Amino acid sequence: MFRAFLAEKRNVLTLSITAFLIDTALGSWFMVLPIYLAQLGASTIDIGICYAILNIAWFTLQLPGGFLSDRMGRKKLIVLSSSTFFACSICLALAETWFTATLAIAAFWAFSGLQAPSFSSLIAETVDEKRRPSAFAFYGLFVNLGWAIGPLIGALLIPSYGFQILFYITAVVSGFCWLVRLLFLQETMKKSKGSKFIIPAINRNLTYFLLACSLFGLSCGVTSPIIVPHAKEVLKLSFVDIELMFFLAQLAACIANPPCGALVRKLGDKESVAISFLISGLTITMWAYFKHLWIAVTLMAIFSISLYALYQVSYGTLISNLTVSKTRATILGISAITTGVSTALGSTIGSYIWEIYNPLIPFILAGILTVPSALLLLKIKQKNP
């Protein structure tokens, strides 16, 4: 399926391989970040604050990242942003409190967010419209593979060597990937003389899209900082069990990526995004109730397939079809910042409710919020800008 695609599309292959390497390094420790923050003295509410800061850092810089990408070009912004990852990882390794560790990760996330619109735009502009689902599926396969292998590495290394060694590994891998991107990425945006910032028109379709993403961001936010504490304190899973659960869940998402590309082409992009919303909400709610390891693994796997395979492929395809090249990265940035605000708000609310009231309420709320999110998407009437 991807043989001809691989032969022609150097950009997608370069982004996929470097993202795989970086995400493998990140996945070795980020999936169990709450455990590390707790070791540094953070409470559950503090962890919620940490995730709120990380969400703000990741999402808010995507708007200026979109503007800069449409102005400067895709490759330049990716290379500039990637050049900061080494220093951020070293600072994280040297951090002595949960708050300074949060700031180091936030800097990493901020520059990742700055380049994110360029990633999606570069992939969309590298292939023709009919092959976009395959391109995003191929990229997503490598990303999910990295997040699958990472927790397995963490389970092997953290009990014996601690978290710091993984932070230094992340620094080395990030530096190598920066060099690969510098040498092998090719620019896709054609710049015209005297180009100016173009303010994109937010039509009805984009309005529905942004509102749906904002609600879904709130849904994801209320559970993201408490999944690991809930697995440890409520479901009574061990550290190795938690890492195994994330490994198998992300591996399932990795395997599901190519079929999801075909599914998006068959069902349609907005329909696929809506389905991913509903499935992710239902499964994360059910997951919170089951204390059996393999039931938890199965539900987390379905959740990961919907969120990290079906959603990622269909989201990239839908927003590419709703935008034009000159303003695509800017629209991606606007989408990110609206999602980020709601996700950050959700992280604070979810951790507070989990700690003070009832640990099941945030998961129920997450499931409920996906319903209006999906309904808003289905109100989109046409896919082309």
Side-chain angles (χ1 to χ4, degrees), residues 209 212-213 216 264 267-280 306 310-319 370 373-374 377-378:
F209 175 80
C213 290
F216 186 63
V264 172
L267 297 180
D269 43 19
K270 69 175 182 180
E271 293 82 3
S272 298
V273 177
I275 291 171
S276 71
F277 284 2
L278 295 173
I279 294 176
S280 64
S306 63
L310 183 58
Y311 171 70
Q312 292 296 336
V313 174
S314 53
Y315 172 88
T317 304
L318 176 58
I319 199 167
T370 60
S373 303
L377 283 175
L378 296 179

Side-chain angles (χ1 to χ4, degrees), residues 18-253:
T18 55
F20 162 73
L21 293 173
I22 292 174
D23 289 341
T24 298
L26 291 175
S28 67
W29 54 267
F30 185 76
M31 303 301 283
V32 288
L33 177 62
I35 294 176
Y36 180 66
L37 295 176
Q39 291 177 1
L40 295 179
S43 67
T44 303
I45 295 177
D46 293 334
I47 292 170
I49 294 172
C50 166
Y51 273 72
I53 293 172
L54 297 185
N55 283 319
I56 291 172
W58 162 254
F59 286 109
T60 54
L61 260 70
Q62 290 190 42
L63 180 57
F67 278 115
L68 290 172
S69 179
D70 287 335
R71 179 74 173 180
M72 296 168 51
R74 318 310 189 194
K75 176 181 176 177
K76 184 177 292 185
L77 200 60
I78 290 173
V79 171
L80 286 174
S81 299
S82 300
S83 68
T84 65
F85 296 164
F86 177 87
C88 293
S89 301
I90 295 297
C91 290
L92 174 59
L94 299 176
E96 296 182 351
T97 68
W98 72 266
F99 188 71
T100 53
T102 297
L103 293 180
I105 303 170
F108 196 121
W109 258 229
F111 285 105
S112 297
L114 190 69
Q115 70 177 358
S118 296
F119 265 59
S120 297
S121 298
L122 195 70
I123 293 172
E125 293 160 7
T126 295
V127 299
D128 58 57
E129 184 175 336
K130 291 182 180 179
R131 302 180 74 176
R132 282 173 182 167
S134 294
F136 283 107
F138 183 82
Y139 171 74
L141 185 150
F142 277 79
V143 169
N144 284 317
L145 183 61
W147 285 102
I149 295 175
L152 189 61
I153 295 173
L156 294 173
L157 295 182
I158 291 173
S160 299
Y161 302 101
F163 282 84
Q164 267 70 24
I165 189 173
L166 297 177
F167 301 151
Y168 287 117
I169 290 174
T170 302
V172 173
V173 170
S174 298
F176 171 75
C177 290
W178 166 78
L179 182 60
V180 172
R181 289 172 176 177
L182 175 66
L183 295 176
F184 291 100
L185 283 180
Q186 294 178 321
E187 184 57 66
T188 59
M189 191 187 75
K190 296 180 180 179
K191 296 178 66 177
S192 58
K193 294 183 178 180
S195 60
K196 299 179 179 180
F197 284 119
I198 300 174
I199 300 176
I202 306 299
N203 56 31
R204 181 176 296 182
N205 285 336
L206 284 173
T207 300
Y208 288 139
F209 175 80
L210 294 173
L211 288 173
C213 290
S214 182
L215 279 176
F216 186 63
L218 184 62
S219 171
C220 292
V222 295
T223 60
S224 59
I226 59 173
I227 288 177
V228 171
H230 192 85
K232 183 179 179 182
E233 303 296 334
V234 179
L235 303 186
K236 304 301 181 183
L237 301 182
S238 68
F239 174 81
V240 173
D241 288 340
I242 294 171
E243 288 281 47
L244 177 64
M245 177 183 68
F246 285 131
F247 162 67
L248 293 174
Q250 291 295 145
L251 182 62

Side-chain angles (χ1 to χ4, degrees), residues 2-10 13 131:
F2 291 111
R3 187 175 299 174
F5 176 77
L6 286 175
E8 300 170 4
K9 310 305 177 184
R10 190 167 91 176
L13 185 59
R131 302 180 74 176

Side-chain angles (χ1 to χ4, degrees), residues 245 249 279-280 282-290 292-306:
M245 177 183 68
I279 294 176
S280 64
L282 176 63
T283 51
I284 198 63
T285 302
M286 294 174 62
W287 174 86
Y289 282 86
F290 290 97
H292 190 280
L293 171 62
W294 293 109
I295 295 178
V297 168
T298 301
L299 290 171
M300 184 57 68
I302 299 172
F303 172 77
S304 296
I305 290 171
S306 63

